[in-house]
Amino acid sequence: MNIRHLEYFVTLAEELHFRRSAERIGITQAPLSLAIQALEADLGARLFDRTRRTVSLTEAGVALLDDARAIIARVEHAKESVWETVSGEVGRLRVGFTNASTLLPIFPHLIHAYRTQRPRVKIELHDLSSSRQIEGIGQRELDVGLLRLPDGPQPPDIVFEPLTEEPLLLAMHARHRLAQAKSIRIIDLRDEPFIAYPRGVALFSQILALCAKRGFEPNVVQETEQMSTTIGLAATGLGVSLVPATLQVIAFPGVVFRKLNDKDAMTRIYVAHRYGDANARARQFTELALALDRRVLSN
């Protein structure tokens, strides 16, 4: 049974006139007649009684009409559902993010803007380390991620689009010996106890690389996964920490933040997604993130 034949049948059932039906469909009468004959042959029943003057539905035609309309409606609904999914209007978007990325100015704007533009898309947010996000994107557990690049080669099937870059600051107790220094460089931290993120966390890998470039390895006395905890521990005087500049918003009594006089003391957030992914929602989220980032930079 051909869906087009059903559409022709419904039109003829409504018009009960071959010429008007053909004009409404945009064809001539001959292919309309052939389509009705083919449908009758498929069903094994006459659908119309035809005379030279009139066309009327048979009992079989009346029985088919409601079902034909329902079938056509279901097919149209299926087409619309597929289009909405392919166009990114509906579905699910699984977004990974690092704990610190929530403090970036772009983060709340990005999530709010996407939800506003795609209200029928269910967005799922997952607080994960950068490495875990990369793994999740590769295994199709996530669609897109906001992350920092870990050391070493990255999977070739994942695209990393650079977003906002920010300086690393030194967080320390207000009475630390460097708190009043006019200029602080990473080399000045050679003998300092460090509060750091666990090994394998992308930001700590970057800090290790910065220190190694200057000939030393940081003396880590305490590891913590939460950046807010890092600031709290710095307030105790336990050690110093290198943190993204956005952490300054955590106003912790007894903690000061100081700039580093090192041009490479920077860290960048990337938006990551699978290479060649047909997921329109991930593509739209990425494009929105890049557009908002450019807007933030221009301001």
Side-chain angles (χ1 to χ4, degrees):
M1 187 182 297
N2 188 309
I3 186 65
R4 182 168 293 178
H5 290 173
L6 286 178
E7 292 172 342
Y8 289 180
F9 163 75
V10 170
T11 301
L12 183 57
E14 292 172 350
E15 296 289 345
L16 294 177
H17 193 283
F18 272 88
R19 179 179 57 77
R20 288 198 302 268
S21 297
E23 289 175 352
R24 178 173 155 186
I25 296 168
I27 59 176
T28 61
Q29 293 185 49
L32 175 59
S33 296
L34 290 174
I36 298 301
Q37 291 170 18
L39 182 59
E40 290 175 329
D42 283 343
L43 295 172
R46 284 177 58 83
L47 301 175
F48 296 95
D49 284 325
R50 310 168 180 83
T51 69
R52 298 189 68 176
R53 293 181 175 273
T54 64
V55 177
S56 61
L57 282 168
T58 64
E59 185 176 357
V62 172
L64 176 63
L65 184 56
D66 286 344
D67 286 338
R69 285 172 171 155
I71 291 169
I72 293 168
R74 289 292 298 272
V75 170
E76 289 302 314
H77 176 73
K79 290 178 180 178
E80 290 175 4
S81 295
V82 170
W83 179 85
E84 288 175 341
T85 300
V86 171
S87 66
E89 296 294 331
V90 297
R92 177 179 62 164
L93 181 70
R94 299 162 298 177
V95 179
F97 65 95
T98 62
N99 182 262
S101 64
T102 60
L103 300 175
L104 292 167
I106 191 179
F107 184 82
H109 294 295
L110 173 58
I111 302 303
H112 182 267
Y114 184 83
R115 293 185 66 213
T116 300
Q117 293 181 13
R118 298 287 184 271
R120 296 170 63 194
V121 173
K122 181 181 179 182
I123 185 168
E124 298 178 0
L125 300 174
H126 300 270
D127 185 355
L128 299 167
S129 69
S130 297
S131 298
R132 181 65 188 88
Q133 286 186 59
I134 292 172
E135 180 182 339
I137 293 170
Q139 295 181 356
R140 297 186 176 273
E141 296 170 354
L142 294 175
D143 300 306
V144 65
L146 298 169
L147 49 83
R148 290 180 169 84
L149 282 183
D151 276 348
Q154 304 306 324
D157 58 339
I158 297 180
V159 180
F160 299 91
E161 307 271 11
L163 285 179
T164 186
E165 187 179 45
E166 58 180 331
L168 290 171
L169 302 182
L170 180 64
M172 57 191 158
H173 192 278
R175 295 182 180 177
H176 190 277
R177 67 178 183 86
L178 294 174
Q180 303 303 321
K182 293 183 179 180
S183 176
I184 304 173
R185 300 171 62 196
I186 294 175
I187 191 63
D188 297 328
L189 309 178
R190 177 191 295 271
D191 299 320
E192 293 293 329
F194 268 74
I195 303 164
Y197 318 105
R199 290 183 181 272
V201 173
L203 186 56
F204 184 57
S205 297
Q206 294 176 13
I207 293 170
L208 281 177
L210 288 169
C211 294
K213 186 177 177 181
R214 289 154 177 86
F216 74 98
E217 182 175 339
N219 173 28
V220 178
V221 296
Q222 180 67 49
E223 291 185 355
T224 175
E225 294 186 1
Q226 299 297 323
M227 290 200 172
S228 57
T229 305
T230 303
I231 305 304
L233 291 177
T236 70
L238 180 64
V240 301
S241 186
L242 292 177
V243 299
T246 47
L247 261 68
Q248 290 180 97
V249 300
I250 303 177
F252 218 106
V255 175
V256 294
F257 298 89
R258 295 290 181 263
K259 292 183 178 180
L260 295 165
N261 193 25
D262 295 279
K263 292 183 179 180
D264 58 346
M266 304 290 291
T267 183
R268 183 182 286 279
I269 290 288
Y270 293 78
V271 56
H273 57 91
R274 284 181 294 276
Y275 178 80
D277 197 340
N279 185 331
R281 296 172 296 281
R283 183 175 64 254
Q284 291 160 356
F285 184 90
T286 300
E287 291 171 352
L288 180 60
L290 293 170
L292 286 175
D293 186 55
R294 287 192 293 268
R295 191 178 307 168
V296 169
L297 289 176
S298 64
N299 291 334

